[in-house]
Amino acid sequence: MDTTRTYLISLFSGDGPPPPEVDLAAIMAELEKINDDIRAAGGWVFAGGLAATSSATVVRKPDAVSDALLTDGPFIEAKEHLGGISIVRAADYDVALGWAERIAGATGLTVEIRPFEQGGPGQQPTTE
Amino acid sequence: MPDPAGRPPVTSADIARVFRAEHGRAVAVLIRALGDIDLAEDAVQDAFAVAVARWPRDGMPPSPAGWIITTARRRAIDRLRREASRDARQSEAALIAAPDEPREEGPVRDERLRLVFTCCHPALSREAQVALTLRLLGGLTTAEIARAFLVPEATMAQRIVRAKRKIRDVGIPYRVPRDADLPPRVTSVLSVVYLVFTEGHTATSGSELGRPDLAAEAIRLGRAVVELMPDEPEAKGLLALMLLTEARRPARTDAAGEPVLLADQDRACWDAALVAEGHALVRECLRRNAPGPFQIQAAINAVHTDAATASDTDWVQVVALYDQLLEVFPTDVVRLNRAVAVAEVEGAASGLGLVEGLDLGGYPAFHVVRADLLARLGRSAEAAAALDRARSLTANRVEERLIGLRAARHDA
């Protein structure tokens, strides 16, 4: 039985630039190490950091014919926001959980892990 | 009906006993075989329903657990076939992740071990862990668990459904964790069992609310955990702690139901068999020399239950054990308990000195200890004030409990 699932690991960060004592280069290097391990385990799908929330645009278009209403700024104004994501695949939840823990440890950020619905659209890995 | 072989007739109490004893094992095996918790539970229920019809007529089978598992498996297959022929439900029976793993070396591990780790997986809330453990491993009904935790049955049912759904959705594996993950996962299992115990322990005064005996259930779970993890000294420590605490239950309240302090308890009322078993476990732990919080707390209880009278208590030993406990568990509550022991060794003034620095103003026991030490130092006005403070806090907690119960009812 194939128990492989795809998980979204979300990283939440506070607004504004990171405090000066944070060594961004060291964190990035550590993250790259974790990503290498994920790749080596065959779990890699995608990962990336998001640009500032001020760059976000909210798009509303209730149906196919109405005009789109664009709003400058993020959908949810909050003290913490989605700062980056990592998408991984694993046959074992504890393995994915372990990656999430390492990402949290390396960044000091709050991290959420959540599975994609099974069998939903986009569940099949794209052929290389 | 007389049994042809002359065996005593099987009563419904006998079957209930088998149910409680074997439910965990049967469900654990069936989850492994079927890959689905709900299917496994239903199958085991079905099997017991058959047992209720057959055993009084045919007699108890030689291996009741084996009979239940075989019957449950057959029933589950029947059910799956029926549903598969009706529609394509079988394919959507979302299966729990039971990765095929190489056969473990040595004796085959008890299937219940997987179950206990799945129920206590740290991705589930503590409440969900407790409910699942009691339901799947302990064989308690949802109604019984709800009554025990003073929540409406609908709330508890929803909690269990949500927990099972999360197990399925995220793919919590049905297996014993890898060695690297094991220490925190074992701690999680032991915490669940201890929480069930403390819930039952504090419930002794509230028995009129009709809670089933959670303390006994926790001890049963504790025994199972020791059986499943014989090399885990903290599991033995937890069982010993529970046994030694439970042993004192008969002496803990007087005829009027009022609590009795440890020093004033009638030690003849303690359960000697539980004390002996607890002491034996503590001695085993000491030989292992791998102390952890549960083992040290059990050892402290062993010192208390070793004393024929309160004045015979080896307080020097108690202080030494609290010193050890503080190293692994540095909390103000432990410091408070240590101060009580220090007061017995060095006098009330030393004890009070240690107590005064603690940040436990919202904890009734803190004020009770202060009151006691102040009284011994002849500072009776201050002692009375401290007792008043304790009383007001205790009253609030009872009130809070009732409000919480009402709020939970509203939630349903």
Side-chain angles (χ1 to χ4, degrees):
Chain A
M1 183 173 68
D2 182 20
T3 56
T4 303
R5 282 173 174 77
T6 310
Y7 299 91
L8 173 66
I9 299 173
S10 312
L11 290 74
F12 293 90
S13 41
D15 276 335
E21 69 272 14
V22 170
D23 184 349
L24 227 43
I27 291 176
M28 288 309 165
E30 185 57 32
L31 276 179
E32 210 35 63
K33 231 184 275 170
I34 298 168
N35 286 339
D36 282 343
D37 288 345
I38 297 174
R39 283 192 193 91
W44 175 262
V45 179
F46 178 83
L50 292 168
T53 50
S54 57
S55 65
T57 306
V58 174
V59 180
R60 289 186 180 83
K61 190 172 186 321
D63 52 55
V65 289
S66 310
D67 289 339
L69 177 66
L70 305 188
T71 321
D72 180 24
F75 177 48
I76 295 165
E77 293 282 0
K79 283 206 185 69
E80 294 206 307
H81 57 265
L82 188 63
I85 61 159
S86 180
I87 299 176
V88 298
R89 285 173 63 74
D92 184 329
Y93 180 58
D94 285 345
V95 169
L97 210 50
W99 291 331
E101 285 173 12
R102 283 183 65 192
I103 291 170
T107 58
L109 299 178
T110 302
V111 159
E112 178 191 290
I113 178 163
R114 191 168 156 191
F116 283 87
E117 219 172 315
Q118 281 202 289
Q123 285 289 286
Q124 306 312 315
T126 44
T127 43
E128 310 284 314
Chain B
M1 198 181 294
D3 182 77
R7 286 171 298 189
V10 178
T11 65
S12 56
D14 293 332
I15 298 175
R17 211 167 17 249
V18 173
F19 183 85
R20 292 294 296 281
E22 302 298 345
H23 185 272
R25 197 187 314 270
V27 166
V29 172
L30 268 289
I31 291 174
R32 178 96 170 115
L34 301 168
D36 184 279
I37 295 176
D38 286 332
L39 275 180
E41 274 196 290
D42 288 348
V44 172
Q45 285 290 344
D46 284 356
F48 274 101
V50 177
V52 168
R54 291 222 187 123
W55 290 3
R57 195 188 63 208
D58 302 345
M60 182 87 73
S63 161
W67 189 96
I68 290 291
I69 290 167
T70 308
T71 309
R73 188 173 283 154
R74 222 172 273 147
R75 292 266 150 170
I77 292 166
D78 286 351
R79 188 189 289 246
L80 278 175
R81 282 210 191 106
R82 270 201 311 277
E83 290 185 352
S85 60
R86 211 170 354 175
D87 51 34
R89 288 269 297 281
Q90 193 174 13
S91 61
E92 82 171 51
L95 299 181
I96 182 171
D100 287 321
E101 53 193 36
R103 280 259 169 266
E104 282 138 5
E105 284 174 23
V108 178
R109 276 177 148 162
D110 194 313
E111 286 285 343
R112 285 177 300 168
L113 198 54
R114 300 168 192 276
L115 184 59
V116 89
F117 279 113
T118 300
C119 289
C120 298
H121 195 283
L124 301 170
S125 73
R126 184 66 88 206
E127 286 179 332
Q129 295 171 353
V130 167
L132 277 182
T133 303
L134 286 172
R135 165 81 182 248
L136 297 178
L137 196 72
L140 266 63
T141 65
T142 303
E144 285 170 333
I145 305 168
R147 215 160 48 233
F149 287 90
L150 308 178
V151 302
E153 189 178 339
T155 307
M156 186 55 76
Q158 204 193 15
R159 192 178 291 171
I160 291 171
V161 166
R162 201 180 292 151
K164 286 182 190 164
R165 193 183 303 147
K166 180 158 187 185
I167 289 175
R168 218 173 328 211
D169 285 349
V170 310
I172 288 178
Y174 189 58
R175 62 154 165 63
V176 176
R178 299 165 299 181
D179 284 351
D181 294 337
L182 210 49
R185 302 288 302 276
V186 170
T187 303
S188 180
V189 171
L190 299 181
S191 304
V192 165
V193 174
Y194 192 51
L195 196 131
V196 173
F197 183 76
T198 49
E199 193 66 34
H201 186 63
T202 46
T204 45
S205 58
S207 53
E208 67 276 7
L209 289 163
R211 312 176 93 186
D213 199 350
L214 277 180
E217 188 56 39
I219 288 174
R220 203 163 76 87
L221 290 172
R223 287 188 195 284
V225 170
V226 167
E227 192 189 322
L228 294 171
M229 297 187 263
D231 296 330
E232 177 50 62
E234 275 291 271
K236 285 203 175 86
L238 169 61
L239 179 57
L241 172 61
M242 294 193 296
L243 291 171
L244 293 174
T245 309
E246 184 64 10
R248 300 202 302 266
R249 185 208 283 262
R252 203 174 293 126
T253 49
D254 62 17
E258 290 296 315
V260 181
L261 291 172
L262 177 59
D264 303 330
Q265 288 178 10
D266 177 3
R267 295 177 180 226
C269 291
W270 289 353
D271 187 319
L274 292 183
V275 169
E277 192 187 352
H279 283 187
L281 284 165
V282 169
R283 280 193 297 273
E284 267 183 66
C285 290
L286 288 175
R287 277 198 297 274
R288 285 290 295 272
N289 195 23
F294 284 125
Q295 294 173 78
I296 300 168
Q297 290 175 79
I300 291 167
N301 275 272
V303 175
H304 284 302
T305 42
D306 221 12
T309 67
S311 54
D312 291 334
T313 307
D314 183 353
W315 288 105
V316 174
Q317 180 68 17
V318 173
V319 172
L321 287 166
Y322 273 120
D323 286 338
Q324 216 183 343
L325 185 57
L326 268 181
E327 275 173 38
V328 290
F329 213 67
T331 68
D332 274 358
V333 173
V334 175
R335 288 188 190 97
L336 178 68
N337 289 323
R338 181 179 174 276
V340 173
V342 168
E344 296 298 327
V345 178
E346 298 176 14
S350 300
L352 188 62
L354 294 170
V355 166
E356 296 294 15
L358 302 177
D359 181 23
L360 289 171
Y363 185 57
F366 168 76
H367 299 285
V368 173
V369 169
R370 263 196 84 224
D372 180 42
L373 296 174
L374 286 165
R376 278 156 67 180
L377 292 168
R379 293 157 67 176
S380 45
E382 289 166 89
L387 264 190
D388 277 346
R389 186 97 183 88
R391 225 169 271 129
S392 70
L393 286 168
T394 312
N396 283 344
R397 277 174 74 216
V398 172
E399 195 81 342
E400 195 182 283
R401 193 157 193 124
L402 291 172
I403 295 166
L405 180 61
R406 198 160 298 147
R409 288 237 166 87
H410 292 166
D411 278 350

